[in-house]
């Protein structure tokens, strides 16, 4: 598997796999989407449908994590939606049936497949996928293009990172979390350093400097406490929503 930009925070990802299959096999492709988080696979199923293939999803009530299939049901004209126990028989039946007519692949599908394969990474004016947005890529911090894929909104940067709307929000949450943990660690270290300097100055009978360092230590500790409360609030929100994500996975630094 070639290394390359992640799509919807994953590599390998379902969307580039489905696009590649759609371009290679056209209407013979049956795209199957099972249980999973966020919305990877939706854009790929749309590509399969665009060339005349079929879209099959696990029934959301049968899925352990229904987000991916719910997204597909929302944005794709799904041909079959069945519990996992029935998918084997269904796929056997579909495989035995003749495929329909293969339709011409939309240019955007070809372009996105080339970007995922690292064969195209310029996104110049003539072949841009959408409009340049005000947002930056959470992974490489380059500009993001906003893509109107039917009634589905997606984003992609020129290096190839791609996101659905919920995936970009998850990526932004992870990025914010990492920044907060870095800030907490930095303030804790500054407070500890200032405390040690205060103790050192005390032993040398330089009370004014010791007092100054002690004041700084208390200020850094206060800042660290604010960041801790923000992180605790975010952890509570994630737990309350039943989401996993990356939040709350880091360990607090020692005071």
């Amino acid at each position: 598997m070639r290394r390359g930009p992640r799509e919807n925070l994953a590599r390998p990802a379902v969307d580039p796999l489905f696009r590649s299959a759609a371009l290679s096999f056209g209407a013979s492709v049956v795209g199957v989407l099972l249980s999973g988080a966020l919305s990877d696979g939706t854009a790929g199923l749309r590509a399969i449908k665009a060339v005349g293939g079929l879209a099959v999803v696990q029934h959301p009530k049968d899925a352990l994590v229904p987000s991916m299939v719910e997204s597909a049901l929302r944005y794709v004209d799904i041909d079959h939606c069945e519990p996992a126990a029935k998918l084997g028989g269904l796929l056997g039946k579909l495989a035995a049936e003749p495929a329909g007519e293969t339709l011409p692949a939309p240019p955007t599908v070809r372009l996105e497949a080339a970007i995922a394969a690292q064969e195209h990474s310029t996104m110049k004016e003539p072949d841009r996928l959408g409009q340049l947005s005000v947002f930056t890529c959470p992974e490489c911090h380059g500009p993001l293009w906003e893509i109107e894929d039917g009634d589905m909104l997606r984003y992609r940067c020129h290096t190839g990172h791609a996101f659905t709307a919920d995936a970009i929000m998850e990526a932004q949450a992870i990025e914010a979390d990492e920044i907060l943990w870095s800030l907490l660690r930095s303030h804790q270290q500054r407070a500890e350093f200032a405390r040690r300097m205060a103790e050192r100055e005390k032993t040398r009978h330089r009370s004014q400097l010791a007092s100054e360092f002690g004041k700084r230590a208390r200020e850094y500790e206060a800042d660290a406490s604010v960041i801790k409360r923000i992180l605790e609030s975010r952890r509570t929100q994630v737990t309350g929503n039943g989401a996993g994500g990356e939040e709350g996975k880091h360990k607090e630094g020692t005071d």
Side-chain angles (χ1 to χ4, degrees), residues 142-163:
L144 280 174
W145 273 263
E146 191 170 84
I147 305 167
E148 292 277 357
D149 187 357
D151 56 353
M152 184 184 186
L153 196 62
R154 298 192 289 114
Y155 294 86
R156 186 183 281 279
C157 72
H158 76 279
T159 58
H161 298 115
F163 309 87

Side-chain angles (χ1 to χ4, degrees), residues 15-243:
D15 282 337
L17 171 66
F18 280 178
R19 286 191 203 100
S20 177
L23 291 173
S24 299
F25 302 103
S28 299
V29 178
V30 179
V32 183
L33 203 59
L34 305 176
S35 171
L38 299 179
S39 50
D40 191 22
T42 299
L45 281 181
R46 289 178 64 89
I48 289 172
K49 292 288 292 183
V51 297
L54 299 177
V56 176
V57 298
Q58 181 181 5
H59 198 287
K61 291 184 178 178
D62 183 58
L64 181 63
V65 182
S67 302
M68 281 172 56
V69 292
E70 286 175 343
S71 174
L73 287 165
R74 188 179 303 120
Y75 295 112
V76 183
D77 182 14
I78 298 298
D79 297 290
H80 301 277
C81 178
E82 299 288 351
K86 293 185 178 181
L87 290 180
L90 172 64
L91 293 177
K93 177 175 176 292
L94 294 176
E97 295 175 353
E101 178 188 359
T102 295
L103 306 175
T108 53
V109 173
R110 293 190 178 280
L111 178 55
E112 288 201 84
I115 291 171
Q118 297 181 283
E119 297 168 358
H120 190 297
S121 62
T122 59
M123 291 189 77
K124 295 178 181 177
E125 185 70 31
D127 54 16
R128 280 192 349 201
L129 287 162
Q131 297 298 316
L132 191 62
S133 76
V134 299
F135 306 111
T136 57
C137 176
E139 303 223 28
C140 69
H141 305 290
L144 280 174
W145 273 263
E146 191 170 84
I147 305 167
E148 292 277 357
D149 187 357
D151 56 353
M152 184 184 186
L153 196 62
R154 298 192 289 114
Y155 294 86
R156 186 183 281 279
C157 72
H158 76 279
T159 58
H161 298 115
F163 309 87
T164 54
D166 57 351
I168 200 168
M169 290 182 71
E170 176 70 8
Q172 289 171 338
I174 293 169
E175 184 181 34
D177 226 36
E178 290 173 348
I179 291 169
L180 285 169
W181 283 106
S182 179
L183 277 172
L184 176 60
R185 183 171 59 251
S186 174
H187 280 80
Q188 288 175 333
Q189 289 180 354
R190 294 174 80 189
E192 180 60 26
F193 183 78
R195 275 197 300 269
R196 292 189 182 188
M197 291 302 296
E199 290 298 324
R200 180 181 176 85
E201 296 306 324
K202 278 182 188 177
T203 61
R204 298 190 176 193
H205 306 292
R206 294 198 281 243
S207 58
Q208 185 174 347
L209 273 175
S211 177
E212 240 179 76
F213 280 118
K215 181 182 176 184
R216 287 189 191 180
R218 290 189 293 273
E219 288 173 352
Y220 299 149
E221 285 172 343
D223 289 342
S225 294
V226 171
I227 298 168
K228 274 185 179 180
R229 287 197 294 272
I230 294 171
L231 285 165
E232 186 59 38
S233 172
R234 289 167 63 79
R235 188 183 306 156
T236 302
Q237 289 172 9
V238 170
T239 304
N241 291 336

